[in-house]
Amino acid sequence: MKKIIKNGIIVTAADTYKADILIENEKIGLIGQDLSDPGAEVIDAEGHYVFPGGVDPHTHLEMPFGGTVSKDDFETGTIAAAHGGTTTVIDFCLTNKGEPLQNSIDQWHAKSKDKSVIDYSFHLMVGEMNDAVIDQLPSVIEDEGITSFKVFMAYKNVFQADDETLFRTLEEAKRLGALVMVHAENGDVIDHLVKKALQEGNTDPIYHALTRPPEAEGEATGRAAQLTGLADSQLYVVHVSCQEAVERISEARKKGYDVWGETCPQYLVLDQSYLEKPNFEGAKYVWSPPLREKFNQEVLWNALKNGELQTLGSDQCSFDFSGQKDLGKGDFTKIPNGGPIIEDRISILFSEGVKKGRITLNQFVDITSTRVAKTFGLFPQKGTITVGADADLVIFDPTVERTISVETSHMAADYNPFEGMEVTGQPVSVLSRGEFVVRDKEFVGKLGSGKYLKRARYGDFKLSSEEQLTIK
Ligand SMILES: [Zn+2]
């Protein structure tokens, strides 16, 4: 059925204006003044913003980690994402050395396809780069539409790849038209610092942060950026947390290297002191990179404002405090890394960013949606409000004041790291391809209604007709 969203203020990465939107056949059919259609349902958005649905470039739903599995799966995780104004997630498909990549991709399809309530796509982790892997990459890109590869420079003996793997991945990405993503921390140095801490009997959660210093992130970020320049390739640094890493990205961009940076809401509003909370509660804030000293928050806000960092991911990877995080009592290295963030990503950036004058409303849309869609080959099908784009829309009340709490959250974990935080603004209704997923703050979507998205090659634009227009 057709729908018309009337009287809302449309906000894109470029413009803010009042207009109506006609939705037809899952897409935006028309934008204009005083639209009417006798067959259309009318939705009044007076006093509300209408944003393009958020695109979260960084989630770990139902991901095995440290002997357990992240709590939010593609059901609870995408329902929570929708409540938070996100209509597309790109999740990380993990792989195992020596095994066919397709096996891992099939596993990720199996756990998402009957559950996801919003559209989704995958990045592929690369743990080794040899002839056998290289042979499989064309099919990963062409058949699966997976055009981004993730390399871990940390988690020694688990996910960590060596520099040869990173460099060869950059070369292959250049050749095939993919984007290389890095978790940039020096895993060898961290491994040494961790061993030393444990030998000295330092087992509390705060040592998670103290053994992963900002220099280790800055060094790995700089190394990855240099190797990107050498390979004349393209790089996206996930979850940038500190000044040292921002500086390395900024330097690389000034040299003309094709290097992008993402930060996450947790680094913008929380700091290292949270890991010192008593009764082991610091474990709720254990993820990597760790929370940093408070002055880094302003560095990250400024980097978003001036474009040194371009996107906001949630790095959603939730674990219960009770039964999962507490696996690390008496040994911080056994605390599963990650937190429940997916639902609050957009609200925090709006409230702390736009409302506090740190970024503009249009920057906010760019950072949470448009730039992500462009970087990961989903634009203009996703990430903007334009005729022909998917009708993924968020009707947002910019005035409501509320307190973030686990009590009202839709994520599955038993705590919320932003508990008690006062925010202004909230998504009221959220549509995915023209259908309500959330209506008047109630979930009305359908499990399995989310579609898997094949993405365009890096630098290409994806048209809604599945045609691809090369702009290089
Ligand atoms: Zn992550």
Side-chain angles (χ1 to χ4, degrees):
M1 186 185 173
K2 290 185 200 173
K3 295 184 178 74
I4 297 179
I5 300 178
K6 288 197 86 70
N7 307 318
I9 297 167
I10 296 175
V11 186
T12 68
D15 299 302
T16 307
Y17 60 103
K18 194 159 184 175
D20 300 343
I21 300 172
L22 173 79
I23 299 168
E24 193 171 12
N25 299 325
E26 304 192 346
K27 302 202 186 298
I28 295 170
L30 203 58
I31 301 170
Q33 305 300 323
D34 302 318
L35 296 185
S36 66
D37 186 312
E41 177 190 2
V42 173
I43 299 135
D44 187 14
E46 181 71 45
H48 292 71
Y49 289 132
V50 182
F51 299 138
V55 184
D56 190 337
H58 191 154
T59 69
H60 304 279
L61 299 172
E62 199 183 331
M63 188 191 87
F65 187 93
T68 182
V69 178
S70 67
K71 176 91 185 203
D72 282 286
D73 62 7
F74 277 86
E75 177 176 334
T76 62
T78 59
I79 289 173
H83 278 283
T86 292
T87 53
T88 302
V89 294
I90 315 179
D91 200 79
F92 286 93
C93 172
L94 300 185
T95 57
N96 298 308
K97 281 186 189 175
E99 282 182 21
L101 300 175
Q102 193 63 46
N103 288 3
S104 303
I105 297 169
D106 289 346
Q107 267 180 27
W108 248 255
H109 280 304
K111 59 181 158 191
S112 52
K113 95 174 157 36
D114 296 330
K115 290 185 176 172
S116 191
V117 304
I118 55 174
D119 291 352
Y120 59 97
S121 188
F122 304 145
H123 311 287
L124 189 76
M125 170 198 163
V126 167
E128 59 186 343
M129 190 53 71
N130 51 39
D131 292 349
V133 171
I134 288 169
D135 284 348
Q136 299 170 61
L137 293 180
S139 125
V140 168
I141 288 178
E142 281 153 33
D143 303 337
E144 294 290 340
I146 296 178
T147 52
S148 44
F149 305 137
K150 166 92 171 275
V151 177
F152 287 91
M153 301 170 80
Y155 297 117
K156 195 170 183 178
N157 301 323
V158 187
F159 301 134
Q160 188 175 330
D162 58 19
D163 287 346
E164 183 187 353
T165 300
L166 172 58
F167 188 68
R168 293 190 71 181
T169 306
L170 285 161
E171 285 182 331
E172 291 308 311
K174 161 82 177 169
R175 188 171 68 84
L176 297 165
L179 180 60
V180 178
M181 310 170 77
V182 280
H183 175 135
E185 287 187 292
N186 186 318
D188 291 340
V189 169
I190 288 168
D191 188 59
H192 170 71
L193 294 175
V194 164
K195 281 180 185 149
K196 233 166 61 171
L198 291 179
Q199 273 164 13
E200 289 162 7
N202 296 322
T203 60
D204 290 343
I206 184 61
Y207 286 94
H208 173 77
L210 299 178
T211 55
R212 309 182 81 98
E215 291 84 351
E217 184 181 340
E219 185 279 328
T221 305
R223 181 164 26 114
Q226 288 289 325
L227 296 178
T228 302
L230 183 60
D232 189 24
S233 188
Q234 45 263 353
L235 182 77
Y236 178 97
V237 184
V238 300
H239 51 42
V240 172
S241 76
C242 62
Q243 178 167 17
E244 285 79 354
V246 169
E247 285 171 351
R248 297 297 87 75
I249 290 169
S250 180
E251 285 163 13
R253 290 175 66 83
K254 280 183 190 133
K255 284 185 193 165
Y257 295 174
D258 197 1
V259 175
W260 305 91
E262 164 201 281
T263 189
C264 311
Q266 51 275 36
Y267 303 116
L268 293 170
V269 299
L270 306 177
D271 66 77
Q272 187 178 298
S273 67
Y274 282 75
L275 281 90
E276 293 177 294
K277 285 193 180 238
N279 304 320
F280 195 63
E281 283 204 46
K284 293 178 176 176
Y285 305 90
V286 165
W287 43 69
S288 301
L291 291 174
R292 303 300 189 185
E293 286 184 57
K294 200 170 173 60
F295 73 88
N296 289 282
Q297 293 173 2
E298 233 30 61
V299 174
L300 296 172
W301 280 113
N302 284 332
L304 283 176
K305 185 188 176 79
N306 66 29
E308 289 170 303
L309 298 177
Q310 300 81 30
T311 59
L312 191 75
S314 66
D315 200 4
Q316 160 77 23
C317 190
S318 62
F319 297 98
D320 278 337
F321 178 59
S322 166
Q324 293 190 295
K325 288 282 187 182
D326 55 14
L327 294 170
K329 264 192 180 151
D331 179 352
F332 69 90
T333 66
K334 298 205 165 61
I335 302 170
N337 278 216
I341 317 279
I342 201 166
E343 188 169 354
D344 301 309
R345 180 181 73 110
I346 286 175
S347 282
I348 287 175
L349 196 73
F350 180 83
S351 186
E352 290 290 311
V354 179
K355 282 284 176 181
K356 294 198 174 167
R358 290 163 160 146
I359 54 171
T360 68
L361 192 55
N362 306 101
Q363 282 183 313
F364 155 83
V365 170
D366 197 43
I367 292 164
T368 54
S369 176
T370 315
R371 177 47 58 190
V372 183
K374 286 179 176 173
T375 305
F376 291 101
L378 290 168
F379 184 87
Q381 180 186 355
K382 304 294 188 189
T384 193
I385 298 178
T386 192
V387 172
D390 283 357
D392 288 7
L393 298 165
V394 178
I395 300 173
F396 190 89
D397 179 348
T399 58
V400 63
E401 293 183 3
R402 64 196 176 93
T403 306
I404 294 178
S405 171
V406 67
E407 302 299 330
T408 47
S409 156
H410 299 85
M411 295 179 284
D414 63 1
Y415 77 100
N416 187 311
F418 307 111
E419 187 73 36
M421 191 178 159
E422 312 272 350
V423 290
T424 305
Q426 185 176 22
V428 175
S429 295
V430 177
L431 297 97
S432 164
R433 281 181 283 103
E435 295 297 326
F436 282 101
V437 183
V438 172
R439 184 157 203 173
D440 297 328
K441 303 179 189 177
E442 294 295 324
F443 174 67
V444 295
K446 216 168 77 218
L447 294 190
S449 63
K451 269 193 195 156
Y452 176 73
L453 299 167
K454 294 184 183 181
R455 293 182 285 117
R457 284 180 159 84
Y458 180 71
D460 287 355
F461 279 62
K462 186 179 171 71
L463 297 182
S464 26
S465 62
E466 304 281 334
E467 287 174 84
Q468 291 172 12
L469 173 68
T470 304
I471 55 145
K472 275 181 194 164

